[in-house]
Amino acid sequence: SMFTTPREAGMLLRRLREDAGLSQSALADRAGVSRRWLIEFENGKPSVDMSKVLDCFAVFGAGFDVVTRREES
């Protein structure tokens, strides 16, 4: 799944969490983040703490691939 905005990233994380049957509290505990931070991230609040974002996705064995898009002329 691809995302290009913090909102889309939060929606993807929520989908992974729900598919795994985890509550927000359970994921927050596993990822080492606060439940409040997780709620805000899932709701699309831009986060400057990339390490927390990576920790949350890592719970599901997920990481990031950077895809560059070049304009075709």
Side-chain angles (χ1 to χ4, degrees), residues 21-40:
L22 289 177
S23 66
Q24 288 172 323
S25 294
L27 175 54
D29 287 346
R30 289 188 189 186
V33 301
S34 72
R35 183 170 175 264
R36 179 186 179 104
W37 181 91
L38 179 60
I39 290 168
E40 290 175 348

Side-chain angles (χ1 to χ4, degrees), residues 19-58:
D19 287 351
L22 289 177
S23 66
Q24 288 172 323
S25 294
L27 175 54
D29 287 346
R30 289 188 189 186
V33 301
S34 72
R35 183 170 175 264
R36 179 186 179 104
W37 181 91
L38 179 60
I39 290 168
E40 290 175 348
F41 182 70
E42 284 189 350
N43 287 328
K45 180 180 177 183
S47 172
V48 294
D49 195 339
M50 194 63 181
S51 65
K52 289 183 181 179
V53 174
L54 292 169
D55 288 344
C56 286
F57 279 97

Side-chain angles (χ1 to χ4, degrees), residues 3-6 12 23-24 32 35 41 48 52 58 60-63 66 68:
F3 57 83
T4 57
T5 67
L12 174 58
S23 66
Q24 288 172 323
R35 183 170 175 264
F41 182 70
V48 294
K52 289 183 181 179
F60 305 103
V66 176
T68 57

